[in-house]
Amino acid sequence: MKKLTIFISGGGSNFRAINDAIDQNLIAGEIVSVVASKRVCPGAEYARSIGLPVSIFPETGMSEADLLLQLQNYGTDYIILAGYLKLIPKEIVAAYRKRMLNIHPALLPAFGGKGFYGKRVHQGVLDTGAKITGVTVHIVDELYDHGPIIAQAPVEVRRGDTADTLAGRVLKMEHRLYPRVVGAICRGDLVWEGEIPFIDPPLSMEND
Ligand code: GRF
């Protein structure tokens, strides 16, 4: 059973999707703790409501060393970033190299990096006329939205889309993709070809 710590900053809908998949026995993992960048956000409220310990970083001034120690004390095998908006300290990236994931609401390496968050991602897609956007799950390194890509799923851009309508359809796809990727990782299906990760056997997006 892999132990997971989820990092959030806002709504926490991906966190909930992963938690629901665990409850349905679709992921052989356990969420041991949640880290939120702010004390008050719906994701943190939800975590507290189901009895999970929530740490606040960096808003309360907790040090990087203390956060790392805490992650290790919880036995965290994998860190799952789910809408966490702060850059992860280098010390934590180093300790969890190849064991920290992020989800991004576009097909990286396009429409990612500093400043591409929330609606700005989807507006960026619309402004170029791109016809396919989607979801990317990738390994976290020292830069925003930068590490090697684990899995992607497409979402079509439709005539009349706004950043809001597109965000809604992309978020639905996130809720399908992220639990599957986390499930595969907990099964030990993440394999590395040098510095490039693959899920093997490949994910199936069917059955929902
Ligand atoms: C998602 O769109 C995710 O891709 C991005 O931040 C958003 C988080 O949403 N990194 P939620 O907090 O999971 O609802």
Side-chain angles (χ1 to χ4, degrees), residues 152-200:
Q152 293 183 302
V155 172
E156 67 172 3
V157 180
R158 296 179 191 156
R159 185 174 180 204
D161 261 335
T162 63
D164 277 324
T165 60
L166 196 51
R169 284 207 309 289
V170 170
L171 193 61
K172 276 192 186 157
M173 184 61 92
E174 294 184 47
H175 298 160
R176 295 177 62 200
L177 185 67
Y178 216 5
R180 282 176 165 82
V181 172
V182 173
I185 283 176
C186 289
R187 282 195 302 276
D189 289 351
L190 185 71
V191 295
W192 289 85
E193 296 283 343
E195 292 305 304
I196 305 298
F198 289 86
I199 290 174
D200 190 14

Side-chain angles (χ1 to χ4, degrees), residues 9-15 82-85 102-105 122 171 174-175:
S9 287
S13 68
N14 279 288
F15 156 46
Y84 188 75
L85 289 174
N102 182 41
I103 188 161
H104 184 74
H122 307 290
L171 193 61
E174 294 184 47
H175 298 160

